[in-house]
Amino acid sequence: MLSFMSAKEAAEKWNISQRRVSVLCSEHRIDGAMMVGNMWIIPSAAEKPIDKRTARYEKQHTKSLKPFVKWVGGKSQLIGELEKMLPIYGEKVLTKYCEPMVGGGALFFYILSKYNFKEVYISDINAELINAYQVIKNNVDNIIEELQNMQLIYLSMKANDRKLYYYKIRNKFNSEKLCESTAIKKAAHFIFLNKTCFNGLYRVNRKGQFNVPMGAYNNPMICDEENLRNINKVLQNVTIVCGDYSLSKQFIDKSTFVYLDPPYRPLSETSAFTSYNSDKFDDNEQIRLARFIDEINVSGAKIVLSNSDPKNINPEDSFFDELYKAYQIKRVVATRMINSKADSRGKINELLISN
């Protein structure tokens, strides 16, 4: 005799909502399902149908990924809010992921650890950062060897010797030109400096030279081999570009999820010390970015942008409210992490802007 289960029991079995089970039944996507009175019953042996909402995101079974560098302004604390904006309902199929200002890649690595997009594009104007991504993708064994050697040397030293070693590496990093023959060394130096410098900053002077002082870490993890190898695997199907975000336009179409994380508009004159290239991302650049978003919005892509909220400091400052008045603007609470004094860090609003 054929046995049946209720929609509630099917929902628990398949780990979806009861409402979703009812929708699937009404769409005749569960063989043998029938309405009895005002409720659906489903054959106990029925298999969960492939859900068109989530078929576009095939679940990955990789180990967790995390950024290989610390990055000021990283979005780790906003990942939950950002993931909510990844469309998982309706019939629109998204098969491509694009992050044209990838930075440390907090959201990027989280997405790649959970979802399998057919095409992925990342870019950044920071040549040293992009070189590190490319070296991890193409020469992971070499960079792991370099970092392990540096870690062994650095951790065996006393405080004063560590300081001399840090500035020796910093001088090498600044004096060596990035090219094919220096790519691996430069990437290793880049990661070493990031792991041992003050607050994980990447800041350059007007000459483009890295000028962050040494940090105070007793036992920094300079070479996280497991994470680097996991990153290497997922980067194999990722297009990595060094250049302006506008280059991504040719990649973006109606099947693309686009996340843009530009240098935040400073909330005060003293908060603009974290620039990682010698060109300032001023209000004119913010406006240029907004025009770019208007352009790619026409393609039908799903777009999300994050930025600071000027109203934290001046309730009358509606710069972004006016600039993005055609879009949805959501204010979310985040912890401000860039102040050098821990007691000056606190809860502020940040903006998530989407179409």
Side-chain angles (χ1 to χ4, degrees):
M1 181 178 177
L2 184 64
S3 62
F4 290 86
M5 56 183 170
S6 67
K8 181 179 179 181
E9 290 170 330
E12 292 174 351
K13 179 180 179 181
W14 295 336
N15 195 29
I16 58 177
S17 70
Q18 185 175 339
R19 179 178 178 277
R20 188 58 191 164
V21 172
S22 298
V23 170
L24 293 170
C25 290
S26 65
E27 292 177 347
H28 308 292
R29 298 185 52 209
I30 302 177
D31 291 339
M34 63 180 73
M35 178 74 78
V36 177
N38 62 351
M39 64 177 287
W40 287 99
I41 61 171
I42 297 124
S44 297
E47 295 185 0
K48 177 184 176 182
I50 296 175
D51 196 332
K52 290 180 181 179
R53 300 176 311 158
T54 56
R56 75 196 77 153
Y57 308 126
E58 299 173 15
K59 287 287 184 179
Q60 293 274 59
H61 297 288
T62 60
K63 295 179 180 178
S64 62
L65 301 171
K66 58 184 178 182
F68 60 88
V69 288
K70 297 178 286 184
W71 212 250
V72 169
K75 292 298 165 290
S76 296
Q77 61 180 319
L78 293 181
I79 281 177
E81 290 291 339
L82 290 165
E83 188 178 16
K84 291 176 186 176
M85 306 181 89
L86 181 68
I88 59 170
Y89 296 101
E91 299 303 315
K92 182 179 178 181
V93 176
L94 297 182
T95 59
K96 300 166 71 175
Y97 180 86
C98 179
E99 196 166 333
M101 297 172 148
V102 69
L107 180 65
F108 167 68
F109 288 119
Y110 177 81
I111 291 294
L112 261 63
S113 71
K114 290 191 68 175
Y115 307 106
N116 183 21
F117 286 87
K118 291 182 180 179
E119 296 181 68
V120 180
Y121 176 108
I122 60 172
S123 65
D124 203 283
I125 58 170
N126 187 323
E128 300 289 354
L129 173 67
I130 289 298
N131 175 61
Y133 275 99
Q134 291 171 331
V135 168
I136 293 169
K137 176 180 178 178
N138 300 315
N139 303 97
V140 70
D141 289 334
N142 300 90
I143 193 167
I144 285 172
E145 183 180 358
E146 292 283 346
L147 289 171
Q148 285 178 336
N149 289 337
M150 297 173 79
Q151 180 170 270
L152 185 64
I153 293 170
Y154 187 78
L155 296 184
S156 66
M157 290 178 168
K158 294 183 179 180
N160 192 57
D161 290 331
R162 283 187 178 190
K163 187 173 183 179
L164 292 173
Y165 186 75
Y166 173 86
Y167 287 105
K168 176 184 176 181
I169 297 298
R170 196 180 81 168
N171 289 336
K172 282 185 177 180
F173 180 75
N174 284 328
S175 62
E176 230 172 15
K177 185 178 180 181
L178 177 59
C179 61
E180 185 176 352
S181 63
T182 63
I184 295 170
K185 282 279 188 184
K186 289 278 279 180
H189 290 168
F190 174 84
I191 293 174
F192 167 82
L193 291 170
N194 176 268
K195 297 295 188 179
T196 57
C197 75
F198 174 75
N199 268 8
L201 296 178
Y202 188 88
R203 182 188 63 195
V204 298
N205 58 25
R206 291 181 180 179
K207 294 180 179 179
Q209 294 180 321
F210 180 77
N211 65 354
V212 182
M214 179 180 169
Y217 306 105
N218 292 327
N219 190 32
M221 171 70 83
I222 295 168
C223 182
D224 188 342
E225 180 176 355
E226 181 179 0
N227 189 52
L228 289 171
R229 292 198 182 280
N230 288 338
I231 291 173
N232 165 262
K233 292 175 184 177
V234 299
L235 288 182
Q236 296 310 305
N237 297 318
V238 177
T239 298
I240 305 172
V241 175
C242 181
D244 187 73
Y245 60 82
S246 60
L247 297 175
S248 65
K249 185 178 179 181
Q250 59 188 350
F251 175 85
I252 296 167
D253 59 24
K254 64 181 180 181
S255 299
T256 313
F257 179 82
V258 185
Y259 173 56
L260 295 121
D261 181 27
Y264 274 20
R265 187 172 187 247
L267 294 178
S268 67
E269 290 183 7
T270 57
S271 66
F273 71 101
T274 56
S275 296
Y276 66 32
N277 68 312
S278 54
D279 299 319
K280 289 186 177 181
F281 204 91
D282 59 15
D283 281 358
N284 289 327
E285 285 298 312
Q286 298 286 359
I287 293 168
R288 183 171 78 93
L289 176 60
R291 298 291 79 83
F292 172 74
I293 289 175
D294 289 340
E295 291 175 16
I296 61 174
N297 183 46
V298 175
S299 72
K302 174 62 181 178
I303 305 164
V304 179
L305 166 83
S306 55
N307 216 310
S308 59
D309 183 4
K311 292 185 181 295
N312 285 302
I313 303 300
N314 179 6
E316 302 301 317
D317 190 339
S318 299
F319 178 79
F320 287 121
D321 294 85
E322 288 298 320
L323 191 59
Y324 291 105
K325 60 185 177 183
Y327 299 88
Q328 299 175 45
I329 301 177
K330 182 179 182 180
R331 286 174 162 85
V332 296
V333 177
T335 301
R336 189 178 188 183
M337 299 299 293
I338 62 172
N339 200 296
S340 59
K341 297 179 180 179
D343 58 4
S344 296
R345 303 168 186 171
K347 300 294 183 181
I348 60 170
N349 283 335
E350 292 193 7
L351 302 179
L352 292 181
I353 300 162
S354 61
N355 58 357

